[in-house]
Amino acid sequence: MLEKVLLVLFVIYLVTMVPTPAWFVPLINSSLGLVVLLIIVLYLLFYTTPVLGVLSLFVAYELLRRSSVMPIARSS
Protein backbone atom coordinates (compact mmCIF):
# COMPACT_ATOMS: atom_id res chain seq x y z
CA MET A 1 0.00 0.00 0.00
CA LEU A 2 2.83 2.39 0.85
CA GLU A 3 4.47 1.71 -2.51
CA LYS A 4 1.27 2.66 -4.32
CA VAL A 5 1.03 5.91 -2.38
CA LEU A 6 4.68 6.74 -3.18
CA LEU A 7 4.09 5.91 -6.83
CA VAL A 8 1.14 8.31 -7.02
CA LEU A 9 3.08 11.06 -5.19
CA PHE A 10 6.11 10.62 -7.46
CA VAL A 11 3.97 10.83 -10.60
CA ILE A 12 2.19 13.93 -9.32
CA TYR A 13 5.55 15.55 -8.50
CA LEU A 14 6.94 14.79 -11.96
CA VAL A 15 3.85 15.88 -13.89
CA THR A 16 3.18 19.13 -12.01
CA MET A 17 5.77 21.83 -11.77
CA VAL A 18 5.75 22.13 -7.99
CA PRO A 19 8.66 24.33 -6.90
CA THR A 20 10.91 23.22 -4.08
CA PRO A 21 10.12 25.10 -0.84
CA ALA A 22 12.70 27.76 0.01
CA TRP A 23 13.51 26.22 3.40
CA PHE A 24 14.24 22.85 1.75
CA VAL A 25 16.67 24.10 -0.92
CA PRO A 26 19.72 24.50 1.39
CA LEU A 27 19.13 21.03 2.80
CA ILE A 28 19.16 19.44 -0.65
CA ASN A 29 22.13 21.46 -1.91
CA SER A 30 24.36 20.45 1.01
CA SER A 31 26.68 17.45 0.93
CA LEU A 32 24.71 15.69 3.65
CA GLY A 33 21.48 16.28 1.74
CA LEU A 34 22.93 14.71 -1.40
CA VAL A 35 24.13 11.68 0.55
CA VAL A 36 20.73 11.21 2.22
CA LEU A 37 18.99 11.57 -1.14
CA LEU A 38 21.33 9.00 -2.67
CA ILE A 39 20.70 6.55 0.18
CA ILE A 40 16.94 6.94 -0.17
CA VAL A 41 17.08 6.41 -3.94
CA LEU A 42 19.31 3.34 -3.59
CA TYR A 43 16.99 1.90 -0.93
CA LEU A 44 13.97 2.40 -3.17
CA LEU A 45 15.84 0.98 -6.14
CA PHE A 46 16.91 -2.22 -4.41
CA TYR A 47 14.05 -2.93 -1.97
CA THR A 48 10.85 -1.88 -3.74
CA THR A 49 9.26 -2.65 -7.08
CA PRO A 50 11.42 -1.88 -10.12
CA VAL A 51 8.98 0.75 -11.39
CA LEU A 52 9.11 2.67 -8.11
CA GLY A 53 12.90 2.36 -8.00
CA VAL A 54 13.41 3.77 -11.48
CA LEU A 55 10.81 6.47 -10.85
CA SER A 56 12.70 7.48 -7.71
CA LEU A 57 15.77 8.15 -9.89
CA PHE A 58 13.74 10.57 -12.01
CA VAL A 59 12.25 12.22 -8.93
CA ALA A 60 15.69 12.68 -7.38
CA TYR A 61 16.98 14.23 -10.60
CA GLU A 62 14.00 16.58 -10.80
CA LEU A 63 14.36 17.51 -7.14
CA LEU A 64 18.01 18.41 -7.68
CA ARG A 65 17.20 20.29 -10.87
CA ARG A 66 14.34 22.27 -9.31
CA SER A 67 16.31 23.14 -6.19
CA SER A 68 19.51 24.21 -7.92
CA VAL A 69 20.44 27.83 -7.44
CA MET A 70 21.88 29.44 -10.53
CA PRO A 71 24.14 32.41 -10.01
CA ILE A 72 23.02 35.62 -11.67
CA ALA A 73 25.45 36.73 -14.34
CA ARG A 74 26.46 40.36 -14.11
CA SER A 75 26.65 42.36 -17.27
CA SER A 76 29.61 44.69 -17.54
Side-chain angles (χ1 to χ4, degrees), residues 1 8 11 15 18 26 28 33 35-36 38 42 44 48 51 55 58-59 63-64 66 72:
M1 182 65 188
V8 169
V11 169
V15 171
V18 178
I28 293 296
V35 169
V36 169
L38 179 66
L42 288 176
L44 290 172
T48 61
V51 173
L55 199 60
F58 289 113
V59 168
L63 181 63
L64 290 173
R66 291 181 191 178
I72 299 173

Side-chain angles (χ1 to χ4, degrees), residues 26-73:
L27 297 174
I28 293 296
N29 288 333
S30 68
S31 298
L32 182 63
L34 291 175
V35 169
V36 169
L37 186 63
L38 179 66
I39 289 171
I40 291 170
V41 167
L42 288 176
Y43 176 81
L44 290 172
L45 194 60
F46 291 128
Y47 295 110
T48 61
T49 60
V51 173
L52 188 62
V54 171
L55 199 60
S56 70
L57 289 171
F58 289 113
V59 168
Y61 171 75
E62 273 298 309
L63 181 63
L64 290 173
R65 190 180 68 79
R66 291 181 191 178
S67 64
S68 67
V69 179
M70 296 300 228
I72 299 173

